[in-house]
Structures are given as structure tokens and as C-alpha cells.
């Protein structure tokens, strides 16, 4: 992950290997282009015309500078129409162009100088660069960049400022926090299921919590049995890798009830006895994308310190068809006592989420949000760019949709069509885990709704967006971190009062756990203390 630095050097004098400057549709020069053109004695805009560049978002062209400026290469990047060039264009362009400059050590840029809000532009720029620089090469003997066939070297980004330093600095830091959290989620999702077991996820959560000052309790199999978590235990029954429930708490001195979040953590979904075919299993290591995004959200929140309280309860299990696996027709008793009839062991996400939702509802949160790679139906409906948002509370749904838009990580609402409840009526249990084929994303949500009681709730079905099956413009093949940035943005929007993020990242391995309680003295007493949360 590159580091970000503000610099007041001129574009021609910045000590960098490459310089990225923007241009707009119609080949209009953006900030920094003029001074570079003068130094090079060249008309860069007509060079772009000669090579057929229009200025579409993220379109780029690299030109050698022959020692006439400090940087050896200048990279022109398109930002679309000048009037429309804002945070979305900056983020996208930064994501795309960064993938082509990872062979350089230091890269300077003026891209974040575009737009009306220096903070929002710097945020989008840092986020785009950090997301674009992401690679998953932990399992490669020799990590090389597929485009350049060189080892990626990108270490430092110089954001060249033209004033408004403090707003830009805040934006850079915050954008980096968002993207680093999302990139951590990507690492977790990309890690193969042979390594990323429920206990691995739990260990990762515990380490993160220790570094960021969150409270963490990991529920073991025996504790889940004592606690009545029949859904998590049932789904995990066919694997030797025992299930877990990861509970994390952030106390930010909010004066309202906490926000509850959860995410589906199926570390591998074979379908169980209702087994998938080979093609259907190819990506099923990514079936914990919702859990990873929820963990990433907790990590970012611990760094950004919004004034709000938060509790996460993340269920994790491996869905395999071992000899002790659950069977079609089995009835599971969930946390809180409701039962479900398992007609298809491949509809397992809702079974583990049911327990987590019921557990969160006990804490009387003000809202509950779950994220899950839950149904192929959501992917059929909305494709790979847009996730489904379904819930019981319009205000919450709208806030999540707005947060997703701001982050360039969009959702779209599907209806919680209660008439379809009849499709999941069971003759032997309170509810069954499969409806008819049609409207599968909705019946899955209706199943979840059974377990949230009267708490306002929204569900994000990220089956289509959590990973990219093929490498595209914005994302390389693999995990995207969706919907982590949406959740972080939503939670920040709920903050009672904004505050500057911590400037030092919580990486210092030896540092003592930072107590969120440093703020507690000044915070109003919270009406909903989580007294039943056990610490482990
Ligand atoms: N994990 C899958 C959903 C999924 C499919 C996510 C493809 C990402 C890509 C989920 O557990 C599942 O198998 N759902 C079934 C439910 C059905 C059996 C009711 C589905 O969507 O087909
Ligand atoms: Zn499944
Ligand atoms: Zn699944």
C-alpha cells in the first residue's frame, strides 16, 4: 500500500518517477497540464488528439519527458466532461490509472485538484489510488505485474496541492482509511478456503480488534451450543473446521442505541448435501464477503472514531457435506427459539444469519444491517456492479443507497414483498429456508426478516458485487471489498458529531490496545449498555 504525502512542489519539480495530470473530454487541459507543456515545449493536447484520446474517465496516455522535468514520465488521465468531473470521476480515473503506474516507486499527481470540495476530491483520489494499487500475490512465488511484467514498486504518492492543505490532508487520510479497510476485506475474501476457515476469520478479527481498541469476543462451538445458535451449528456440522461467531464492539460515545451489523461468513459453500456443480463452486471461497466487509467496517470505524456505538455479530461456518452434515428435511432451532426447516442445504447463508440477527436484536439496536453473498437471484436481477438493498425501514434504505452512491459503490432497492411470505411457510417449522425459484432474493430477505423482531433492518445482497469473476477496467479478477465502503460511509453519516480521524494508522504492532474509553468521560451515558456481551 503506497503512502500519501502532500507536497507544494510544482508539477515540473516534484521529486517523482511519474507525474499524473488530468485532462477533460474535448482534450481540455486540467490542473498542471499547462506548466508541464511549457517545460516540455510540446502541445500535449494535440498529442492526445494524434493518438485518438477523447478524455473518457480513466483513459490514459504516458509520454516520456526526456529530462525536461523531474518526472521521467508524464501520464495524462481523462476525467470525462469538465462540468461533471467530481469525486466519482476522480475515484474511477485514479483506480484505473494506478494499475498502469505500479512499476514506478514515487508518483506525483494533481488529479485531486479537480472538483469543488478539496476534502472530497482528496478522499476520492486516495481511495482510488489505494484500491487501484491492490494486488493479491501472497500465494505467488514471484509477484509480478501482469501489465508491465515487472515487480510492482509503487511506494509513495505525492499529492501536489494548490492551497487548502488541511482539507486535502483530511481527505487523503480518510480516503486511505476507507480503501485500506476495503483492501483488507479483499485479502480475506481472496484467501483460499483451505486457509480462511472460520477460526482463521476469528483470529484475524481478534488481531484487528487488539490493534484498534475494539472489544472482541469469539464464540466457540461449545459456547454456540450453550447459546442456542442452531443455524450456525447446523451449517457448520458437515465440516471439520468448526463454526464461530465473531462479536465486536465499538463504543464511540454515541447517545443513542448502537447500530448492529452482521455479515455472512460462509468460508466455503459447497452447497452441502444439496451440492453445487463444479462451476457453481469456483468462487465459493468468496461466500464470506459479507463477513469480510463487516470486519473491515469495524476496523475503519475504530480509526475514524465517529460518535456512534456499534456492535457486530458475524457468524462463520463452512458448508460441506461431511457425514455429520445437516440434511434436507432437518429442522434447526435458532437463537431465540424460532425454528426453520432446511429444504435445501445450499440456502445456508440465511440459516447462519438468522442466529446472528436474533442475537443482535436482543441488544435492542436502533437499526440492524446485514451484508451477504446470499442469492444467485440478486446477481441475476442486478448484475455485477449493483447490489440489492431490501429492508423494513425506508429511511435506513435511503441512507444506505445514498452512502453507496457517494462511495461509487451502488446499491438498488428491491421490494420486501410480504405476500411472498407464503412461499416460505413450512408445515413442520416456523419457516422454511427455500421458496419458489422466482423472486429468490426477496424470499431470502423475508426469511431474514423473521429474526430481526421489530428492529428497523436492511439487508444488502452482494452476491454479484463482492468479487469480480473476470478482470475489468476497475477491478482485477477477485474480491472488491463490496459493500465495506458503503457501510463505513453510512456509519460516519450517523455520527453525532464529526471529528478528525486519527493520523497514525493502528499498525504499530507492539502498541497497547487503544481504549475507546478515552472519550467516554465526555460522552453522554448510553442508554443501552451491552451488559450481556461476554469478553473472551
Ligand atoms: N452462496 C450462494 C449464493 C451465491 C451464488 C453467491 C453465486 C455468489 C454467487 C448461496 O448460498 C446459494 O447457494 N443460494 C441459493 C439459494 C437457493 C438454494 C434457494 C441460490 O441462490 O441459488
Ligand atoms: Zn449456498
Ligand atoms: Zn452461500
Amino acid at each position: 500500500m503506497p503512502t500519501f504525502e502532500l507536497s507544494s512542489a510544482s508539477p515540473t519539480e516534484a521529486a517523482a518517477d511519474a507525474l499524473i495530470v488530468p485532462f477533460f473530454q474535448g482534450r481540455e487541459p486540467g490542473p498542471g497540464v499547462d506548466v508541464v507543456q511549457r517545460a516540455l515545449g510540446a502541445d500535449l493536447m494535440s498529442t492526445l488528439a494524434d493518438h485518438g484520446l477523447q478524455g473518457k474517465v480513466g483513459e490514459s496516455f504516458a509520454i516520456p519527458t526526456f529530462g525536461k522535468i523531474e518526472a521521467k514520465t508524464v501520464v495524462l488521465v481523462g476525467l470525462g466532461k469538465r462540468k461533471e468531473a467530481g469525486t466519482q470521476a476522480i475515484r474511477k480515473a485514479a483506480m484505473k490509472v494506478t494499475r498502469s503506474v505500479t512499476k514506478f516507486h514515487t508518483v506525483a499527481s494533481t488529479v485531486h485538484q479537480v472538483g469543488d470540495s478539496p476534502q472530497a476530491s482528496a478522499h476520492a483520489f486516495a481511495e482510488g489510488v489505494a484500491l487501484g494499487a491492490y494486488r493479491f500475490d501472497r500465494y505467488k512465488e514471484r509477484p509480478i505485474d501482469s501489465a508491465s511484467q515487472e515487480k510492482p514498486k509503487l511506494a509513495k504518492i505525492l499529492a501536489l496541492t494548490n492551497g487548502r492543505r488541511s482539507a486535502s490532508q483530511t481527505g487523503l487520510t480518510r480516503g486511505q482509511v476507507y480503501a485500506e479497510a476495503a483492501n483488507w476485506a479483499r485479502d480475506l475474501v481472496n484467501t483460499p478456503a483451505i486457509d480462511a476457515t472460520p477460526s482463521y476469520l476469528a483470529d484475524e478479527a481478534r488481531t484487528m480488534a487488539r490493534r484498534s481498541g475494539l472489544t472482541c469476543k469469539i464464540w466457540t462451538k461449545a459456547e454456540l451450543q450453550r447459546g442456542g445458535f442452531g443455524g450456525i451449528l447446523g451449517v457448520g456440522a458437515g465440516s471439520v473446521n468448526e463454526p464461530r461467531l465473531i462479536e465486536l464492539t465499538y463504543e464511540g460515545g454515541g447517545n443513542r442505541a448502537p447500530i448492529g451489523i452482521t455479515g455472512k461468513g460462509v468460508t466455503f459453500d459447497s452447497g452441502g448435501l444439496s451440492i453445487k456443480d463444479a462451476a457453481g463452486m469456483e468462487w465459493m471461497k468468496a461466500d464470506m464477503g459479507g463477513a469480510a466487509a463487516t470486519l473491515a467496517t469495524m476496523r475503519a470505524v475504530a480509526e475514524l472514531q465517529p460518535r456512534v456505538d456499534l456492535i457486530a455479530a458475524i457468524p462463520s461456518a463452512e458448508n460441506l457435506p461431511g457425514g455429520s452434515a445437516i440434511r434436507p428435511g432437518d429442522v434447526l432451532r435458532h437463537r431465540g427459539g424460532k425454528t426453520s426447516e432446511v429444504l435445501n442445504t445450499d440456502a445456508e447463508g440465511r440459516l447462519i444469519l438468522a442466529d446472528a440477527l436474533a442475537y443482535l436484536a436482543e441488544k435492542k439496536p436502533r437499526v440492524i444491517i446485514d451484508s451477504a453473498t446470499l442469492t444467485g437471484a440478486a446477481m441475476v436481477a442486478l448484475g455485477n456492479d449493483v447490489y440489492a438493498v431490501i429492508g423494513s425501514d425506508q429511511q435506513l434504505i435511503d441512507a444506505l443507497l445514498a452512502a453507496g452512491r457517494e462511495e461509487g459503490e451502488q446499491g438498488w432497492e428491491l421490494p420486501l414483498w410480504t405476500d411472498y411470505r407464503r412461499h416460505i411457510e413450512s408445515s413442520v417449522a416456523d419457516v422454511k429456508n427455500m421458496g419458489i425459484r422466482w423472486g429468490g432474493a426477496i424470499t431470502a430477505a423475508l426469511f431474514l426478516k423473521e429474526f430481526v423482531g421489530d428492529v428497523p433492518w436492511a439487508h444488502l445482497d452482494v452476491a454479484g458485487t463482492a468479487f469480480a469473476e473476470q478482470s475489468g477496467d476497475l477491478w482485477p479478477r477477485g474480491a472488491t471489498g463490496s459493500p465495506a465502503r458503503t457501510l463505513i460511509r453510512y456509519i460516519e453519516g450517523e455520527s453525532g458529531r464529526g471529528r478528525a480521524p486519527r493520523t497514525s494508522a493502528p499498525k504499530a504492532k507492539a502498541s497497547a490496545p487503544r481504549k475507546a474509553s478515552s472519550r467516554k468521560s465526555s460522552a453522554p451515558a448510553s442508554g443501552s449498555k451491552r451488559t450481556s456481551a461476554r469478553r473472551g
Side-chain angles (χ1 to χ4, degrees):
M1 188 70 53
T3 59
F4 290 80
E5 244 174 61
L6 275 185
S7 161
S8 45
S10 119
T12 54
E13 282 157 14
D17 303 302
L19 169 71
I20 303 176
V21 286
F23 69 106
F24 303 102
Q25 199 161 305
R27 292 179 288 271
E28 281 184 62
V33 170
D34 279 349
V35 43
V36 172
Q37 293 196 120
R38 263 179 271 126
L40 296 182
D43 180 352
L44 295 178
M45 295 301 109
S46 57
T47 308
L48 292 176
D50 294 344
H51 290 84
L53 278 92
Q54 309 293 330
K56 291 196 201 109
V57 177
E59 196 180 48
S60 67
F61 192 70
I63 301 167
T65 61
F66 303 109
K68 291 185 177 159
I69 68 171
E70 209 32 62
K72 289 187 275 295
T73 305
V74 55
V75 182
L76 288 147
V77 64
L79 283 180
K81 292 193 180 129
R82 184 193 280 274
K83 270 204 226 133
E84 291 163 18
T87 53
Q88 308 293 351
I90 291 171
R91 187 186 299 104
K92 271 192 179 171
M95 280 174 82
K96 268 173 106 167
V97 77
T98 301
R99 289 170 72 183
S100 67
V101 298
T102 56
K103 57 179 176 280
F104 300 111
H105 178 276
T106 303
V107 173
S109 178
T110 59
V111 169
H112 62 286
Q113 291 180 18
V114 171
D116 307 325
S117 156
Q119 182 179 325
S121 293
H123 178 120
F125 172 71
E127 205 171 53
V129 169
L131 291 170
Y134 175 84
R135 315 210 112 53
F136 186 71
D137 49 21
R138 206 183 280 170
Y139 287 81
K140 285 193 181 281
E141 189 188 11
R142 253 172 9 105
I144 54 158
D145 186 312
S146 55
S148 65
Q149 293 295 307
E150 284 181 45
K151 220 178 155 205
K153 290 201 277 285
L154 187 58
K156 198 199 254 184
I157 307 292
L158 294 177
L160 306 180
T161 51
N162 52 352
R164 306 292 297 272
R165 285 181 70 92
S166 76
S168 301
Q169 184 58 61
T170 307
L172 285 182
T173 310
R174 296 164 55 82
Q176 216 179 336
V177 170
Y178 274 62
E180 284 182 2
N183 284 346
W184 180 49
R186 293 166 84 181
D187 274 345
L188 295 174
V189 173
N190 284 330
T191 301
I194 189 173
D195 292 330
T197 58
S199 67
Y200 173 92
L201 274 194
D203 288 345
E204 286 282 302
R206 201 184 346 240
T207 307
M208 180 277 285
R210 206 170 284 148
R211 285 181 193 166
S212 357
L214 297 171
T215 307
C216 176
K217 152 139 184 85
I218 305 300
W219 295 67
T220 61
K221 182 177 169 187
E223 288 170 315
L224 292 171
Q225 280 163 337
R226 287 196 290 274
F229 292 84
I232 301 173
L233 291 163
V235 172
S239 169
V240 293
N241 298 312
E242 291 181 357
R244 296 283 186 271
L245 177 68
I246 301 164
E247 182 174 348
L248 295 164
T249 332
Y250 165 76
E251 291 182 24
N255 50 7
R256 297 170 62 192
I259 293 171
I261 58 176
T262 180
K264 172 177 172 183
V266 172
T267 57
F268 187 76
D269 182 11
S270 70
L273 284 173
S274 313
I275 201 160
K276 291 179 184 293
D277 62 18
M281 272 185 233
E282 259 175 47
W283 278 100
M284 285 303 124
K285 69 169 183 181
D287 213 20
M288 30 60 76
T294 306
L295 287 171
T297 302
M298 293 306 287
R299 169 182 153 150
V301 163
E303 290 182 47
L304 297 165
Q305 307 240 316
R307 187 175 287 267
V308 40
D309 296 325
L310 204 57
I311 172 163
I314 303 164
S316 183
E318 186 173 39
N319 189 22
L320 292 186
S324 48
I326 51 167
R327 323 141 186 81
D330 281 355
V331 173
L332 303 178
R333 188 174 299 280
H334 294 277
R335 172 80 179 190
K338 276 203 178 161
T339 58
S340 68
E341 183 186 8
V342 181
L343 286 179
N344 189 318
T345 62
D346 196 12
E348 82 298 341
R350 62 198 79 180
L351 299 174
I352 68 170
L353 284 171
D355 286 350
L357 291 169
Y359 179 69
L360 282 174
E362 290 167 19
K363 312 272 178 189
K364 305 246 174 291
R366 64 207 231 211
V367 297
I368 297 178
I369 305 161
D370 77 76
S371 308
T373 48
L374 204 63
T375 66
M379 191 166 21
V380 170
L382 297 170
N384 296 121
D385 289 354
V386 185
Y387 54 81
V389 183
I390 310 178
S392 63
D393 185 88
Q394 200 57 45
Q395 214 182 334
L396 173 60
I397 292 167
D398 290 343
L400 287 165
L401 292 172
R405 263 194 308 273
E406 281 160 22
E407 280 300 317
E409 187 181 71
Q410 269 249 225
W412 203 263
E413 187 179 357
L414 296 183
L416 187 69
W417 196 260
T418 48
D419 274 0
Y420 294 166
R421 173 63 179 77
R422 69 182 189 276
H423 297 316
I424 53 170
E425 186 61 38
S426 166
S427 53
V428 296
D430 295 320
V431 63
K432 64 182 187 185
N433 82 331
M434 205 182 71
I436 58 168
R437 181 162 175 217
W438 316 116
I442 295 171
T443 43
L446 286 167
F447 180 99
L448 299 179
K449 183 178 174 286
E450 295 288 312
F451 298 88
V452 295
D454 51 14
V455 180
W457 152 83
H459 154 67
L460 311 183
D461 192 331
V462 294
T465 60
F467 59 91
E469 284 177 83
Q470 249 85 49
S471 183
D473 264 2
L474 295 178
W475 305 103
R477 190 170 179 275
T480 62
S482 165
R485 288 181 294 120
T486 300
L487 293 171
I488 302 165
R489 181 68 78 128
Y490 164 77
I491 288 160
E492 281 218 283
E494 290 299 294
S495 173
R497 181 143 44 92
R499 68 182 68 219
R502 290 184 326 172
T503 41
S504 61
K507 291 235 181 75
K509 292 200 178 71
S511 76
R514 199 178 43 78
K515 284 275 181 296
S517 58
S518 54
R519 267 168 291 98
K520 263 198 255 163
S521 50
S522 62
S526 164
S528 61
K529 280 280 165 268
R530 288 157 294 281
T531 44
S532 62
R534 288 179 277 165
R535 287 166 195 232

